[in-house]
Amino acid sequence: MAEDEYAAGRAEYMAACAACHGEALDGNGPIAIMFSGKVPRLTQLAKANDGVFPTLTVFQTIDGCAKIKAHGDPMPLFGNRYTVDNPAAGTYGSEAVVRARILELVYFLQSVQE
């Protein structure tokens, strides 16, 4: 697969996730020290799931279906970045924009598994 294939997901990661999870996806982002627990390494998700990347779980964690206390319970902590109430996309396009943004991020995360 071409390197540019994950550019949108990588950009999304850097904008929304790197502050906590780190640029290297190692759980050592600049604000990770603010959490009482360890911020997970995102390169180990498949390894922790018997070698299978947990696509649906990751998607639902980002979109807020899976409740993660550190992510604002529910995630996201990012205002309306991952909600359908995103006015930037208009009344009918917001859900499609949000789902595409999350899916690009999930594809990127899948591509960096060790």
Side-chain angles (χ1 to χ4, degrees):
M1 294 188 176
E3 184 68 26
D4 286 341
E5 183 174 353
Y6 303 109
R10 184 179 301 102
E12 190 63 33
Y13 176 83
M14 294 306 292
C17 311
C20 296
H21 293 280
E23 288 186 22
L25 296 90
D26 58 4
N28 292 314
I31 67 170
I33 60 171
M34 299 172 81
F35 297 98
S36 59
K38 178 109 175 89
V39 176
R41 283 184 67 99
L42 296 180
T43 58
Q44 301 292 309
L45 299 173
K47 186 176 184 179
N49 194 46
D50 296 323
V52 178
F53 184 75
T55 304
L56 183 59
T57 300
V58 172
F59 193 100
Q60 290 177 333
T61 298
I62 296 165
D63 81 356
C65 288
K67 308 255 189 266
I68 307 272
K69 199 164 197 73
H71 288 160
D73 196 17
M75 186 178 176
L77 181 63
F78 316 108
N80 66 4
R81 185 172 192 88
Y82 299 123
T83 66
V84 293
D85 297 329
N86 186 338
T91 305
Y92 300 106
S94 61
E95 184 168 357
V97 168
V98 168
R99 299 255 176 235
R101 185 178 280 166
I102 294 170
L103 194 55
E104 289 294 339
L105 178 53
V106 171
Y107 285 153
F108 168 68
L109 293 174
Q110 185 176 21
S111 79
V112 297
Q113 297 304 293
E114 296 174 349

